[in-house]
Amino acid sequence: MESIAGSAESSALRAHVSSTTDDVYAITNLPEEVIAVVFAYVSRSPKSFRDNLLAVTEEKAGRFHEKWVLDYGHGSVAEHAAVHLGVERISRYASAVLEASRLVSVTEYSQRYQRPSRGDYVTPPGLEETGLANRFHRLQHDTFDCYERLFDGLHAHLLRNGTRHEGESDAAFSRRMEKLAFEDARYALTLAVHTNLGLTANARTLEQMVSRLLSEDSPESRALGESMRDAARTVAPTLLKYAMPNEARKAAAALCQDFAARLDSPDVPGTDPVAELAAYTGENTPDPEGWALERVLEAALTPSWRGTLGDLADALTTLPRREAFSAYRELLTSTGPHDSTPRALEEVSYAFRITLSEAAWHQFLRHRMMSLHAAAPDTTVGITVPPAVQDAGLTDTLRAAIEPAEALHRELQDRDPRLAPYAVTNAHHRRIRARLNLRQFHHIANLRLDSSAQWDIRNVVVRMRDSIAEVHPRLCVHARARKDEARREMEPAATSPDSAR
């Protein structure tokens, strides 16, 4: 490539590129929509990105996006425009709706490490019309009272009974026990409590997210979608221009709601297992694990195979199982502690029906590359009582928050179901359906089976691992403790009953 250095434009370029001569360079200090156009030109222009950079103005970029992205539907161009949003003082309920978007990067306020303040909760639009506003505000204050009593009781219990680290000072020990008390006291708080999050997304993904939020029944979610759209338009005005409610999405939701109402449903909800394996790769074959193993090895060996892929599949059926599993283990252990698991494991998948607390759900949905479908927050599916709460004799204190929350939830369901989720606590269970592949499960297991993982989400993943081990015992063996260099087996964490009632 001919160097631009020394040209009249060189000084202008230096403000926007890390090098005017290298073949690889960073592009900075430009509007995101301009960067997207500069990159889009590569498919039609032989010029350097640096040359195109000098020719593109914000006005020209806007016209380009109007024509190619909005009119002709070349949405991939919008993926080059990155948007960063700070989102504050929304409810935990709304944040879970927001985070359902798969390709969005989110970092959120953690109730495990921070102590919320009294009165920091969302009053959902439309509450006054229900006649239950006073009850709602009293619930938020009463549950916070329970939170404080749980925290004080747990902290004192842990200071008396916790195990000190070698050489740990009194102050450090107290801070560590305080963190554990935060972790379990939060089960008394409702989904109305404030949270903050930082969000990064490309303009295409953000447009889809905003459209989804604008199509929700929840008034808070719709208002959040409008605020995000307005803020994002300051960065990518053209690409967010037509972020609107999706009528087809709303119609599909209404159709599913009507269809579900026609199905027979028990009057009293049953108790679900923590994690039930609903479907898996190879389930209808005589040798489910062997069949799944062949699919992994077929994908892994394809780049090195010189014959037809049908011949490769046939060759793997005659390979001795011991040799096949040995190759599988070597494939896994060849990766370093910070490497991704080989993509060949994506050939094997699992579908789960899972019941978990709202506290655990907020952690589980971080793994957004799974296919996740969640039921609405509810108070009829049971609760999780943290083991430390039981050990400290504080179960009745937690129940003092649960019972009025359930009573208000029932009344809100009758008067305005859109507002009922704000009365659900972190202890209440939610039902979800999750589909993930073996590679995704290894990632989750390596993170959530670690001894430092929070006990509730770890319990869910332990149950998932055990369910997979029943059908594919040797395929999931590596997911037991990859972060532990000794590859030792890890005992399941102490957990509460599937339902405390």
Side-chain angles (χ1 to χ4, degrees):
M1 180 183 298
E2 183 179 350
S3 172
I4 304 176
S7 69
E9 295 87 358
S10 181
S11 59
L13 276 173
R14 289 194 184 97
H16 301 296
V17 297
S18 60
S19 172
T20 59
T21 57
D22 293 344
D23 288 334
V24 179
Y25 45 94
I27 298 177
T28 58
N29 301 320
L30 282 172
E32 292 294 334
E33 290 198 350
V34 170
I35 293 175
V37 172
V38 169
F39 284 169
Y41 279 175
V42 73
S43 66
R44 299 291 189 272
S45 170
K47 295 181 179 180
S48 162
F49 292 125
R50 285 174 289 222
D51 290 326
N52 288 327
L53 183 156
L54 293 171
V56 177
T57 63
E58 289 188 58
E59 181 181 356
K60 187 173 183 180
R63 292 197 302 270
F64 179 96
H65 290 309
E66 284 276 4
K67 178 178 180 180
W68 296 103
V69 179
L70 302 180
D71 293 344
Y72 289 177
H74 293 291
S76 61
V77 174
E79 295 175 11
H80 290 300
V83 180
H84 306 278
L85 297 178
V87 180
E88 300 182 358
R89 298 175 64 80
I90 63 171
S91 70
R92 294 261 292 179
Y93 169 55
S95 75
V97 175
L98 182 153
E99 291 178 47
S101 296
R102 180 172 292 177
L103 300 178
V104 175
S105 298
V106 174
T107 301
E108 186 176 357
Y109 171 106
S110 175
Q111 291 181 349
R112 291 182 65 195
Y113 302 107
Q114 299 187 65
R115 185 173 187 166
S117 298
R118 182 183 295 276
D120 280 356
Y121 61 87
V122 166
T123 300
L127 181 64
E128 291 292 338
E129 286 77 1
T130 67
L132 296 171
N134 290 338
R135 288 267 307 279
F136 178 84
H137 294 305
R138 185 164 66 249
L139 174 68
Q140 303 308 322
H141 287 287
D142 289 349
T143 52
F144 195 85
D145 284 342
C146 289
Y147 170 81
E148 290 188 319
R149 289 196 296 271
L150 283 172
F151 172 77
D152 291 339
L154 284 168
H155 194 209
H157 171 75
L158 292 168
L159 287 175
R160 289 192 303 269
N161 300 285
T163 302
R164 286 179 181 266
H165 293 160
E166 185 176 353
E168 189 174 30
S169 68
D170 289 346
F173 176 64
S174 179
R175 286 194 299 270
R176 187 161 60 86
M177 295 304 101
E178 185 179 69
K179 175 257 180 184
L180 294 176
F182 281 149
E183 188 169 283
D184 288 348
R186 67 191 169 118
Y187 282 70
L189 297 174
T190 73
L191 301 186
V193 171
H194 281 160
T195 189
N196 303 328
L197 57 89
L199 178 153
T200 299
N202 66 60
R204 185 184 199 182
T205 298
L206 190 59
E207 186 274 336
Q208 294 169 352
M209 170 191 274
V210 167
S211 177
R212 180 173 59 80
L213 289 171
L214 293 174
S215 305
E216 291 284 331
D217 281 341
S218 163
E220 185 191 5
S221 294
R222 294 200 302 273
L224 176 60
E226 292 173 358
S227 297
M228 291 174 59
R229 179 181 60 192
D230 292 345
R233 280 175 173 171
T234 65
V235 178
T238 308
L239 295 175
L240 272 293
K241 183 175 181 179
Y242 296 116
M244 299 293 181
N246 187 317
E247 297 302 325
R249 182 184 183 89
K250 291 195 288 186
L255 177 68
C256 291
Q257 189 173 30
D258 290 344
F259 189 79
R262 296 202 302 269
L263 298 177
D264 289 335
S265 177
D267 294 332
V268 180
T271 300
D272 290 316
V274 172
E276 178 183 22
L277 188 60
Y280 57 93
T281 298
E283 63 180 314
N284 296 317
T285 64
D287 178 14
E289 186 174 43
W291 196 89
L293 173 65
E294 289 175 14
R295 303 291 73 74
V296 172
L297 294 180
E298 184 178 349
L301 296 176
T302 291
S304 305
W305 185 256
R306 299 185 64 184
T308 69
L309 296 184
D311 289 339
L312 173 58
D314 292 341
L316 288 170
T317 62
T318 62
L319 185 69
R321 278 289 176 262
R322 180 182 296 273
E323 187 174 342
F325 278 112
S326 177
Y328 174 77
R329 285 193 299 272
E330 290 180 21
L331 180 66
L332 288 179
T333 55
S334 65
T335 58
H338 304 294
D339 296 331
S340 298
T341 305
R343 293 193 66 175
L345 273 68
E346 294 176 3
E347 293 292 313
V348 177
S349 64
Y350 307 92
F352 280 94
R353 303 181 186 101
I354 297 172
T355 304
L356 73 176
S357 70
E358 289 287 344
W361 165 235
H362 228 78
Q363 298 178 75
F364 197 79
L365 63 81
R366 300 284 193 277
H367 303 283
R368 291 180 297 277
M369 296 309 293
M370 287 187 286
S371 174
L372 292 173
H373 303 276
D378 200 356
T379 60
T380 64
V381 191
I383 62 170
T384 289
V385 178
V389 170
Q390 298 180 51
D391 294 344
L394 296 168
T395 301
D396 288 344
T397 301
L398 177 59
R399 290 190 184 281
I402 298 299
E403 292 172 4
E406 293 179 347
L408 181 59
H409 179 269
R410 288 192 295 269
E411 293 197 47
L412 285 171
Q413 275 288 110
D414 291 338
R415 302 191 191 187
D416 191 341
R418 300 174 305 167
L419 308 184
Y422 295 88
V424 175
T425 72
N426 285 330
H428 281 105
H429 288 168
R430 189 191 289 236
R431 293 185 176 111
I432 67 169
R433 181 179 174 87
R435 177 174 286 277
L436 70 166
N437 59 50
L438 184 56
R439 186 187 189 207
Q440 292 165 342
F441 177 72
H442 273 257
H443 168 74
I444 294 171
N446 292 331
L447 179 65
R448 301 299 186 178
L449 295 183
D450 185 75
S451 57
S452 63
Q454 193 259 350
W455 61 266
D456 200 356
I457 187 67
R458 186 169 182 269
N459 177 48
V460 174
V461 178
V462 164
R463 303 296 182 90
M464 293 173 68
R465 182 199 67 190
D466 292 347
S467 296
I468 292 174
E470 291 181 7
V471 296
H472 294 161
R474 289 167 289 188
L475 292 187
C476 78
V477 67
H478 189 64
R480 296 178 190 270
R482 186 179 179 195
K483 294 173 78 173
D484 187 327
E485 293 180 359
R487 302 286 197 266
R488 64 180 175 81
E489 290 284 338
M490 297 180 69
E491 293 298 324
T495 58
S496 62
D498 293 352
S499 174
R501 293 174 299 163

